């Protein structure tokens, strides 16, 4: 990294020494996990570059946007509508939460029995190692799970610009009305932050931009139906991860370039793994950068991941927003219609999720499902038990995993995953 | 227990052998914990009797009510409004959830990392040992914490008559509207179950009945301000526990009788413990029958508990419902006003709770607070950290405890509680 970046990070208030250590670990993990993969699409070079510049060039871009008067909004959840942010001429970025950091300090503010994702968000703040968080003019929390809901109360003491969005727990008429009301309130907050009034034109353009981004990852997902799988699960996951913080138009273009290449690979029967490699659908909790542990284990165990039923994956990107609305209100209704379909385990009941898992198993010709649960993530861990039972009744093999961000259980997970993959052959 | 009860339990489908074992443990615990207490008010004899007949006479009464056409509704939470139930000529009972039962079977349906209270509710159902649950014509779940919210989805496979009430997470206008809408829906469900239409008269009478019950426990709480404390925390907790399933009018009368006696004791400077005994406020998770572990430890460590900031305690009984309403709608509004003040940790933010803890510390002249958290209860465990910090800043000593229903940690808890009490002298 250049000296230029170091002064940028210092200006953002990062702890340079700790940040160096983080980037060292991140870079090493990428080098160990991503680069040894065989038969990668050439167009993944873009994402290699993005990762090498993850706290560099992208942050420089955000700071340039800020210098030009644009606001940066950080989020921890797929329920925060990027359409509203873009329409107010602001930029939405996903915030860092995929690695343990400053754990001892974090556990003074949060119970030890808190999921790794939440602890990580606190660790990156307390450790001063997340340039996205430090660049953000507004940080959006949301009342999804109890863990996040209550953690934001403490995060509010650590950051100056936290905005908390309430969310429904039931997909009822009242639930939908609450989401509508909260998106309206969010729109007003974003307009107030940016000083930009959202218009029908700007909202329509924003809907199109985000839809294009989603359509590109849908196209990528669709291509993973092929056998041999034209792209590894690790590479596809990376695209889904970068979805959250890259420039939307450039991201769309880059994913489409990968898709162009994958189409040729499919024609040529060329795969990232050989034909007939056991195919796995991963379902459950989000996997944020650099949490590549499970896909690394799966894909070095002789299987290929063909889909992610996850917020960093199809749960987050499924469904486009209807573009037909003419007024801001009509378009907000369409946005609510779209987000209200997200089948997060915070909803009760959440039957859609099981349907989606089955649909994805069929569409991507998965031989089995690995349910990925973060330890202490109550909603997904509780839902995992009936999901596993239902899949087994449908004769879909399911392996239920509960883990965290540490590397301590890699050996044990490898053994379990290898045995599961063996059973799928 | 008489043979008569055995055939009643058999008719309810209880597992008689398991139920015998449970009653054996329960009776022994009561004998070991309650009966050795010194200087108990004579009027506690009523509660000794209630406990000796907890699965006997009270169940017989409920079955007699059922035979006469009255419906029984079971609940796990103080958000289920007894006023609505009584007004429809039905009876509300709290359901069993204070002891581990059938744990191995429970952990096939729920993650091990689920709080003891939720596991217990499942254990009593799976083990067929809860005559209240088996007598109930409707079981009401509610979307409070993630643990309960998701667990009800599985409980729905175990019972035939589950009704789930949605609850807000924020004390906003939208949140209050949701509670109002849900109480309306509940009213309709109860009316449909009972075939009884709630009228302004029946609702007013129900409000008065429940208010009288609450006023009696308020009176009891008020008397605990005296030094020496006229009643032990264990005995006061028992009254708060029996609150949930006794006949309301008889309960009110019995608590008022205790209060009459306590007033005389206070005049005579007669206490359950000597004057100047260190005084403790317990704050946090509910303590359902027979979960007497913490108060037993505290009150055998030379301290007295003078208040429970808990759902089984003042959080559950604080505030009366305004009786001035003339129409059913006005009274429902008043009921919503009353319940919307409950400061459960599921709400975010939940500043009222810290205010109430401080008020209770002052009112009951507590020397310190013990925060009682059930392991894996995310809302209370997460809130406990800022609560402890705030109390310490106010120079109110606080001991934060995390435990479950097992007896394995009694020795360790005793050591910690004794050291805490020593510090208060």
């Amino acid at each position: 990294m250049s000296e230029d970046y170091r002064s940028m990070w210092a200006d953002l208030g990062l702890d340079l020494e700790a940040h160096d250590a983080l980037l060292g670990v991140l870079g090493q993990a990428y080098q160990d996990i991503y680069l040894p993969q065989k038969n990668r699409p050439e167009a993944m070079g873009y994402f290699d570059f993005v990762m090498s510049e993850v706290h560099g060039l992208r942050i420089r871009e955000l700071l340039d946007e800020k210098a030009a008067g644009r606001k940066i909004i950080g989020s921890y959840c797929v329920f925060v509508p990027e359409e509203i942010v873009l329409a107010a001429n602001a930029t939405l970025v996903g915030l860092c939460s995929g690695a343990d950091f400053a754990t001892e300090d974090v556990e003074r503010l949060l119970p030890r029995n808190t999921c790794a994702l939440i602890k990580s968000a606190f660790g990156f703040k307390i450790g001063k190692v997340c340039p996205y968080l430090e660049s953000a003019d507004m940080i959006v929390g949301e009342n999804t799970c109890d863990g996040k809901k209550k953690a934001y109360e403490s995060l509010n003491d650590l950051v100056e610009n936290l905005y908390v969005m309430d969310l429904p727990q039931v997909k009822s008429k009242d639930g939908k009305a609450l989401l509508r009301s909260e998106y309206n309130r969010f729109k007003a907050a974003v307009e107030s932050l940016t000083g930009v009034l959202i218009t029908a034109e700007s909202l329509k353009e924003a809907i199109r931009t985000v839809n294009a981004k989603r359509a590109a990852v849908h196209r990528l997902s669709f291509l993973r139906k092929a056998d041999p799988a034209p792209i590894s699960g690790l590479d596809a996951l990376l695209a889904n991860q970068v979805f959250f913080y890259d420039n939307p138009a450039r991201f769309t273009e880059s994913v489409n370039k990968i898709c162009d290449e994958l189409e040729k690979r499919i024609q040529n029967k060329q795969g990232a793994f050989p034909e007939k490699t056991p195919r796995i659908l991963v379902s459950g909790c989000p996997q944020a950068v650099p949490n590549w542990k499970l896909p690394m284990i799966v894909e070095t165990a002789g299987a290929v991941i063909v889909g992610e039923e996850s917020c960093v994956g199809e749960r987050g990107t499924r469904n486009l927003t209807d573009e037909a609305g003419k007024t801001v209100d009509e378009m907000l209704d369409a946005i609510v219609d779209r987000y209200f379909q997200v089948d997060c385990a915070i909803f009760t009941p959440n039957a859609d999720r099981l349907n989606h898992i089955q649909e994805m198993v069929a569409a991507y010709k998965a031989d089995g499902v690995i349910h990925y649960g973060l330890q202490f993530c109550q909603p997904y861990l509780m839902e995992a038990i009936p999901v596993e039972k239902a899949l087994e009744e449908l004769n879909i093999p399911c392996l239920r995993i509960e883990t965290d961000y540490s590397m301590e259980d890699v050996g044990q997970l490898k053994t379990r995953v290898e045995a599961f993959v063996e059973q799928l052959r």
Side-chain angles (χ1 to χ4, degrees), chain A residues 100 103-120 375-377 404 408:
Chain A
D100 292 330
T103 306
E104 209 172 303
D105 292 330
V106 171
E107 290 179 354
R108 272 192 277 272
L109 299 178
L110 297 174
R112 288 189 66 184
N113 292 352
T114 302
C115 88
L117 191 137
I118 296 172
K119 281 189 183 175
S120 172
Q375 206 182 8
F376 308 123
C377 168
D404 56 20
E408 283 167 25

Side-chain angles (χ1 to χ4, degrees), chain A residues 55-300:
Chain A
H55 283 192
L57 192 57
R58 183 62 184 141
I59 298 299
R60 168 63 63 217
E61 287 178 350
L62 295 179
L63 294 178
D64 287 348
E65 288 182 7
K66 276 167 79 92
R70 199 171 164 101
K71 299 292 182 184
I72 310 299
I73 297 181
S75 140
Y76 294 105
C77 179
V78 298
F79 273 104
V80 179
E82 187 170 11
E83 292 87 342
I84 290 175
V85 173
L86 291 179
N89 199 29
T91 295
L92 187 71
V93 289
L95 294 176
C96 310
S97 54
D100 292 330
F101 212 87
T103 306
E104 209 172 303
D105 292 330
V106 171
E107 290 179 354
R108 272 192 277 272
L109 299 178
L110 297 174
R112 288 189 66 184
N113 292 352
T114 302
C115 88
L117 191 137
I118 296 172
K119 281 189 183 175
S120 172
F122 272 59
F124 277 73
K125 176 63 207 175
I126 295 173
K128 298 180 189 162
V129 292
C130 177
Y132 292 93
L133 187 67
E134 305 304 335
S135 306
D137 298 293
M138 180 197 258
I139 294 165
V140 186
E142 65 331 295
N143 295 337
T144 42
C145 58
D146 287 339
K148 286 172 100 182
K149 177 171 77 176
K150 298 304 285 183
Y152 291 128
E153 295 174 15
S154 299
L155 189 66
N156 199 29
D157 296 334
L158 302 179
V159 302
E160 278 172 12
N161 44 8
L162 183 69
Y163 174 95
V164 178
M165 179 183 282
D166 195 23
L167 288 180
Q169 311 187 71
V170 174
K171 293 201 170 166
S172 59
K173 209 178 132 198
D174 285 329
K176 195 164 186 177
L178 176 62
L179 191 64
R180 183 64 170 85
S181 164
E182 283 296 292
Y183 279 5
N184 230 30
R185 192 169 68 88
F186 180 61
K187 169 178 165 286
V190 172
E191 286 177 332
S192 157
L193 175 77
T194 58
V196 173
L197 214 67
I198 292 176
T199 63
E201 285 84 44
S202 72
L203 191 51
K204 175 150 291 191
E205 196 194 322
I207 290 174
R208 285 187 177 144
T209 300
V210 185
N211 274 351
K213 192 162 100 154
R214 290 193 192 114
V217 292
H218 294 176
R219 187 180 163 207
L220 178 64
S221 300
F222 186 88
L223 295 171
R224 294 166 78 189
K225 295 177 179 182
D227 187 14
I231 185 170
S232 70
L234 274 166
D235 279 339
L237 174 63
L238 190 65
N240 276 293
Q241 290 172 332
V242 171
F243 181 95
F244 287 90
Y245 52 85
D246 199 5
N247 171 283
R250 185 175 57 205
F251 174 83
T252 303
E253 194 193 321
S254 306
V255 172
N256 277 321
K257 262 193 204 148
I258 296 181
C259 293
D260 294 341
E261 185 181 346
L262 297 191
E263 282 174 356
K264 286 184 202 136
R265 290 184 146 220
I266 293 170
Q267 280 180 345
N268 300 333
K269 286 258 171 201
Q270 192 188 346
F273 290 83
E275 213 175 335
K276 310 256 181 252
T277 296
R279 300 163 68 88
I280 304 271
L281 179 76
V282 172
S283 171
C285 291
Q287 296 169 300
V289 171
N291 177 20
W292 301 307
K293 183 165 77 169
L294 180 66
M296 180 267 286
I297 290 171
V298 172
E299 299 201 327
T300 54

